C-alpha cells in the first residue's frame, strides 16, 4: 500500500507540459537589385564559302496562244500595179540644112512596132502622127530605159554618128516633161537608163515618147539605113 501512495504523490507533483507557441510570420523578400549593363557583342565569324550553283531547271511549257487581234485599218490604195510600158520603132533620121526653112532634126513618136517609119514628123511642117496614149487609172511614171540597135535583124548595138544626138523624152498631155529624158551622143553606150522624177498621170491624161535626132547629116531619110530603138517606161 505504501508504494501505491508514493506513486500517486509523484503523479500529483509533476505539472502538465505547456503548449508550443505559434511560429511568427515569414519576413518579406528584399527588392531585386538593378540589372547590370549588357556586355559587348562578340566578333562575327568569317563567311563560309558559297556553295556550287545548282543545275538550271527545265523550261516550263508554253502558255496558251492569245486571241487574234483585230484587223488593222486598210492602207491607202496604191497608184496601180507596177509594170513596164514598152515602145519600139525603126528610125530614119532626116537632116537637110538646104531646105527652106532648114530641117535640122527629125522628130518621132514611138509605138509598139519596129515598122513605124510612117511616124516621122517633119519638125518644120509639123506633119506626121502623134501617138498620145490615154491612161484610165492613176499612174506614176518613174524610170526610163532606151536601147539603140543597128538596122539589121540582129541585135547589134547602134552608135550615134559623130556630131549627132538621139534624144528620147516623155510627153504628158502634149508637153515635154523636164528631166524625164535620155540623150545619146557618139561616146555613149547603146543602152542608157534613167531614174526619173516621178510623174503622176490621172485618168484623162495622155502620154507619149518623143524621139528627136539631130546632126545625122544629109542625104534624106529614104537613102539612109536608119536604126532601131527599144524603150521602156517604169510605171507604178
Amino acid at each position: 500500500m505504501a508504494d501505491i501512495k508514493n506513486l500517486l504523490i509523484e503523479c500529483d507533483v509533476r505539472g502538465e507540459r505547456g503548449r508550443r507557441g505559434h511560429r511568427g510570420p515569414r519576413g518579406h523578400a528584399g527588392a531585386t537589385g538593378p540589372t547590370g549593363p549588357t556586355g559587348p557583342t562578340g566578333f562575327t565569324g568569317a563567311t563560309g564559302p558559297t556553295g556550287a550553283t545548282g543545275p538550271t531547271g527545265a523550261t516550263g511549257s508554253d502558255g496558251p496562244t492569245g486571241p487574234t487581234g483585230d484587223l488593222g485599218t486598210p492602207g491607202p490604195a496604191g497608184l496601180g500595179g507596177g509594170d513596164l510600158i514598152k515602145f519600139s520603132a525603126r528610125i530614119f533620121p532626116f537632116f537637110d540644112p538646104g531646105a527652106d526653112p532648114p530641117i535640122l532634126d527629125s522628130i518621132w513618136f514611138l509605138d509598139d512596132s519596129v515598122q513605124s517609119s510612117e511616124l516621122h514628123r517633119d519638125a518644120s511642117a509639123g506633119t506626121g502622127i502623134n501617138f498620145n496614149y490615154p491612161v484610165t487609172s492613176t499612174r506614176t511614171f518613174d524610170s526610163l530605159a532606151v536601147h539603140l540597135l543597128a538596122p539589121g535583124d540582129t541585135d547589134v548595138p547602134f552608135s550615134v554618128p559623130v556630131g549627132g544626138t538621139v534624144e528620147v523624152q516623155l510627153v504628158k498631155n502634149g508637153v515635154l516633161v523636164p528631166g524625164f529624158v535620155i540623150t545619146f551622143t557618139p561616146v555613149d553606150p547603146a543602152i542608157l537608163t534613167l531614174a526619173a522624177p516621178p510623174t503622176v498621170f490621172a485618168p484623162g491624161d495622155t502620154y507619149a515618147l518623143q524621139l528627136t535626132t539631130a546632126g545625122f547629116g544629109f542625104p534624106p531619110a529614104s537613102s539612109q539605113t536608119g536604126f532601131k530603138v527599144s524603150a521602156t517606161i517604169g510605171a507604178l
Side-chain angles (χ1 to χ4, degrees):
M1 292 298 289
D3 293 333
I4 294 173
K5 288 181 181 183
N6 292 334
L7 179 61
L8 289 175
I9 292 171
E10 289 180 6
C11 290
D12 290 339
V13 175
R14 182 181 297 173
E16 294 181 0
R17 179 180 295 177
R19 296 182 180 179
R20 179 180 294 176
H22 294 288
R23 178 180 295 177
R26 178 178 296 176
H28 296 289
T32 303
T35 303
T38 303
T41 303
F43 295 107
T44 302
T47 303
T50 302
T53 302
T56 302
T59 302
S61 58
D62 294 336
T65 303
T68 302
D70 298 329
L71 291 177
T73 304
L79 297 179
D83 57 13
L84 298 175
I85 303 174
K86 298 180 180 180
F87 301 82
S88 60
R90 189 183 298 274
I91 306 299
F92 295 92
F94 189 79
F95 179 79
D96 187 0
D100 187 17
I103 299 174
L104 303 179
D105 56 16
S106 59
I107 298 176
W108 308 69
F109 290 90
L110 307 183
D111 70 348
D112 58 357
S113 171
V114 296
Q115 303 298 330
S116 59
S117 59
E118 72 276 9
L119 302 185
H120 168 251
R121 178 164 70 90
D122 189 322
S124 60
T127 60
I129 301 174
N130 186 343
F131 272 80
N132 287 308
Y133 296 96
V135 297
T136 58
S137 61
T138 302
R139 310 296 301 276
T140 299
F141 295 173
D142 63 355
S143 63
L144 178 63
V146 181
H147 188 186
L148 302 184
L149 299 169
D153 294 332
T154 60
D155 291 338
V156 177
F158 176 76
S159 296
V160 177
V162 176
T165 60
V166 174
E167 185 176 87
V168 180
Q169 188 166 10
L170 177 66
V171 180
K172 178 180 179 180
N173 298 331
V175 179
L176 296 173
V177 179
F180 213 120
V181 57
I182 287 178
T183 302
F184 291 87
T185 68
V187 298
D188 291 313
I191 299 177
L192 291 178
T193 60
L194 171 70
T199 303
V200 179
F201 287 77
D205 289 337
T206 61
Y207 65 90
L209 268 188
Q210 175 179 293
L211 184 146
T212 302
T213 62
F216 271 62
F218 201 75
S222 60
S223 63
Q224 294 187 23
T225 57
F227 62 93
K228 295 182 297 183
V229 59
S230 175
T232 303
I233 293 177
L236 301 175

